[in-house]
């Protein structure tokens, strides 16, 4: 594609390379380093004058450093007279549901969804999916699970949870009948995984034959992997918005859905001035 430059931040080089390969592009030359006082330094290694620039940087790892690195890269490209700069952020930092003051944007923002890829994974990897039930681990995810359940033509359930504080659940109440069905927990992210592991136990006690968890963002901090290894999941399925290679080495239950094709197609459509709404219901080939 002409007049387009794709850069990768340091947070998720593998995903950036996958996106570049799908677009038939080479990643732009950029060097990131730190001064002795730990301030971030970014050097753009090629001309971006008049170019349509896309910078891929996920909100994972050293989140604050990676966010600053992204802002410096944007600033450098704008000062170098690029025609447009678009940030591609697979996992958006500081946007958890329990943070109410999220601010707002005065620039266009396209929110991409993993739902089409999730539906495809379920149909291709869970043989008993027609006898499944989609479960939300909290009331806030009800809209998400009903959408997936409707598109699979199966029923849904939810778990009402009462929190004492963030990352700590006091008690859970299952609303729905999961007996003799494959339960598929669906959530936007999992951090320490206490909630979904408790939810899995609740579903098995209620008669579910198997339990899967499908998560958009697998943060897996603290005791998460230990909890997953000890839980009765068939699989924990996450997208690769966050690198998972190291986690997969120590937890065979973790599976990954590659979403590079979604990001690549979103970049292509944005560059060509096309609508990205197609991606809300289709997985690009």
């Amino acid at each position: 594609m002409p007049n387009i430059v794709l850069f990768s931040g340091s947070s998720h080089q593998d995903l950036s390379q996958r996106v570049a390969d799908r677009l038939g592009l080479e990643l732009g030359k950029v060097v990131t380093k730190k001064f002795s006082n730990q301030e971030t330094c970014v050097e753009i290694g090629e001309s971006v004058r008049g170019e349509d620039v896309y910078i891929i940087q996920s909100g994972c790892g050293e989140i604050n450093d990676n966010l600053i690195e992204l802002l410096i890269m944007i600033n450098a490209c704008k000062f170098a007279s690029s025609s447009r700069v678009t940030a591609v952020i697979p996992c958006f930092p500081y946007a958890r549901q329990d943070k109410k003051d999220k601010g707002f944007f005065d620039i266009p923002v396209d929110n991409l969804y993993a739902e089409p890829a999730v539906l495809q994974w379920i149909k291709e990897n869970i043989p008993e999916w027609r006898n499944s039930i989609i479960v939300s681990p909290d009331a806030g995810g009800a809209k998400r699970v009903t959408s997936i359940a409707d598109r699979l033509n199966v029923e849904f359930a939810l778990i009402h949870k009462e929190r004492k504080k963030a990352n700590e659940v006091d008690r859970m109440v299952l609303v729905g009948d999961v007996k003799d069905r494959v339960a598929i927990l669906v959530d936007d992210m999992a951090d320490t995984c206490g909630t979904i592991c408790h939810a899995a136990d609740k579903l098995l006690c209620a008669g579910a034959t198997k339990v899967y968890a499908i998560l958009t963002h697998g943060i897996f901090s603290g005791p998460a992997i230990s909890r997953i290894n000890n839980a009765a999941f068939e699989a924990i399925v996450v997208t690769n918005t966050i690198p998972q290679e190291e986690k997969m080495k120590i937890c065979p239950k973790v599976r990954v859905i590659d979403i590079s094709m979604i990001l690549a197609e979103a970049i292509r459509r944005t560059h060509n001035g096309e609508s990205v709404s197609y991606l809300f219901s289709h997985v690009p080939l």
Side-chain angles (χ1 to χ4, degrees), residues 213-259:
I214 302 182
L215 316 161
T216 305
H217 308 295
I219 300 172
F220 299 149
S221 64
I225 293 300
S226 174
R227 286 173 171 172
I228 292 170
N229 280 329
N230 293 323
F233 288 108
E234 294 295 314
I236 297 280
V237 185
V238 297
T239 69
N240 59 341
T241 58
I242 296 172
Q244 299 295 344
E245 289 76 13
E246 295 304 314
K247 302 295 194 303
M248 294 173 71
K249 291 177 182 178
I250 57 177
C251 184
K253 294 179 183 178
V254 175
R255 315 279 175 81
V256 171
I257 299 174
D258 182 17
I259 49 88

Side-chain angles (χ1 to χ4, degrees), residues 57-60 89-93 189 217 219 241-242:
Q57 180 80 309
S58 196
C60 56
I89 310 175
C91 181
F92 194 84
M189 65 173 62
H217 308 295
I219 300 172
T241 58
I242 296 172

Side-chain angles (χ1 to χ4, degrees), residues 22-184:
R22 289 183 176 274
L23 291 170
L25 298 172
E26 295 287 336
L27 286 173
K29 297 179 178 64
V30 59
V31 176
T32 58
K33 56 186 179 182
K34 291 192 180 232
F35 294 119
S36 58
N37 65 352
Q38 297 305 301
E39 288 185 359
T40 299
C41 173
V42 176
E43 297 177 0
I44 303 297
E46 58 187 84
S47 174
V48 295
R49 181 178 294 274
E51 303 282 14
D52 191 4
V53 175
Y54 294 82
I55 304 171
I56 302 174
Q57 180 80 309
S58 196
C60 56
E62 298 293 334
I63 294 175
N64 294 333
D65 285 353
N66 290 334
L67 181 57
I68 290 297
E69 180 183 282
L70 172 62
L71 297 176
I72 293 173
M73 292 176 72
I74 292 171
N75 188 64
C77 291
K78 291 177 76 70
F79 269 104
S81 300
S82 59
S83 66
R84 180 172 65 172
V85 181
T86 301
V88 181
I89 310 175
C91 181
F92 194 84
Y94 291 98
R96 293 181 62 165
Q97 287 187 354
D98 51 359
K99 291 184 173 69
K100 306 302 182 186
D101 299 319
K102 299 177 184 178
F104 59 92
F105 292 99
D106 58 1
I107 57 174
V109 177
D110 285 315
N111 190 21
L112 301 177
Y113 299 92
E115 182 178 306
V118 167
L119 291 166
Q120 180 175 293
W121 191 94
I122 290 173
K123 291 178 179 179
E124 292 179 354
N125 295 276
I126 302 179
E128 316 95 318
W129 68 267
R130 289 182 177 82
N131 186 41
S132 67
I133 183 166
I134 311 300
V135 184
S136 172
D138 56 42
K143 182 178 180 181
R144 183 186 309 114
V145 300
T146 53
S147 175
I148 292 175
D150 287 346
R151 294 178 68 176
L152 291 173
N153 195 28
V154 299
E155 294 186 9
F156 70 93
L158 65 85
I159 295 174
H160 173 67
K161 63 185 180 183
E162 296 179 355
R163 287 186 183 273
K164 289 189 289 188
K165 58 184 179 180
N167 289 332
E168 187 175 339
V169 175
D170 187 19
R171 71 187 189 100
M172 291 181 163
V173 178
L174 175 63
V175 181
D177 183 10
V178 301
K179 185 175 176 57
D180 298 326
R181 295 184 184 178
V182 175
I184 304 174

